[in-house]
Amino acid sequence: MRWWDIDPVLELEHELFPDDAWSAGMFWSELAHARGPHATRRYLVAEDGSGRLVGYAGLAAAGDLADVQTIAAARDQWGTGLGARLLTELLRAATAFECAEVLLEVRVDNTRAQKLYERFGFEPIGFRRGYYQPGNVDALVMRLTDPAQARTESSESNG
């Protein structure tokens, strides 16, 4: 993801997460840590054949721990494997950052996303009450140990 992707990302962000969408400032702040020799973030976008932005994802790394900051696919891309491909790239980034664990928070009412994460080996470890505001929706916290050995999209298609 680059600065010129922020506007189309925000459009998709507001469509998918109208109550708790990130602001432009939040994306700018994350991208400020995504370049250079001391980068601690990895953000990427996916486009369809016509160049339309159809997904994005981001990961933050600190020490040996990574956190999936965001992952989203346009509704017309649901069921196409785009979410799995984005997650695969984030786990590759976690491995490149030499992270031993990856954490994420997912809305307790987003079972579709939870199933994706479980396919990759993420396990539930707790809850964050009222994490998603302003709706006061709880988050399920999930953890993946050893992202280098995760059941990624590429390893699933080979086995």
Side-chain angles (χ1 to χ4, degrees):
M1 182 183 299
R2 303 299 291 265
W3 65 266
W4 53 82
D5 294 313
I6 290 177
D7 284 341
V9 163
L10 284 173
E11 286 180 33
L12 187 53
E13 175 83 1
H14 286 283
E15 177 187 326
L16 295 172
F17 312 110
D19 295 331
D20 49 13
W22 282 23
S23 68
M26 292 170 79
F27 281 106
W28 277 102
S29 178
E30 288 296 296
L31 289 182
H33 300 283
R35 297 274 183 251
H38 302 293
T40 58
R41 308 288 195 275
R42 174 76 171 113
Y43 276 79
L44 53 128
V45 296
E47 296 178 342
D48 66 9
S50 68
R52 178 178 69 104
L53 189 135
V54 294
Y56 58 91
L59 178 103
D64 65 351
L65 181 64
D67 190 79
V68 174
Q69 300 290 86
T70 187
I71 187 166
R75 283 187 179 91
D76 66 345
Q77 299 296 308
W78 291 1
T80 66
L82 177 58
R85 290 189 300 276
L86 290 168
L87 185 55
T88 295
E89 289 305 313
L90 293 183
L91 296 179
R92 286 185 181 137
T95 300
F97 282 127
E98 299 180 352
C99 294
E101 290 185 330
V102 180
L103 296 175
L104 60 81
E105 292 89 13
V106 58
R107 290 174 63 108
V108 294
D109 58 1
N110 191 345
T111 55
R112 186 180 50 80
Q114 291 171 33
K115 288 178 182 178
L116 169 67
Y117 302 138
E118 288 169 358
R119 278 197 348 245
F120 277 73
F122 282 85
E123 297 177 340
I125 60 169
F127 294 93
R128 294 187 194 273
R129 303 286 178 209
Y131 184 79
Y132 293 99
Q133 294 297 327
N136 203 36
V137 177
D138 295 344
L140 174 65
V141 181
M142 301 181 82
R143 176 179 58 205
L144 174 68
T145 55
D146 198 1
Q149 298 300 315
R151 296 183 294 270
T152 63
E153 180 72 8
S154 60
S155 65
E156 284 181 355
S157 62
N158 292 332

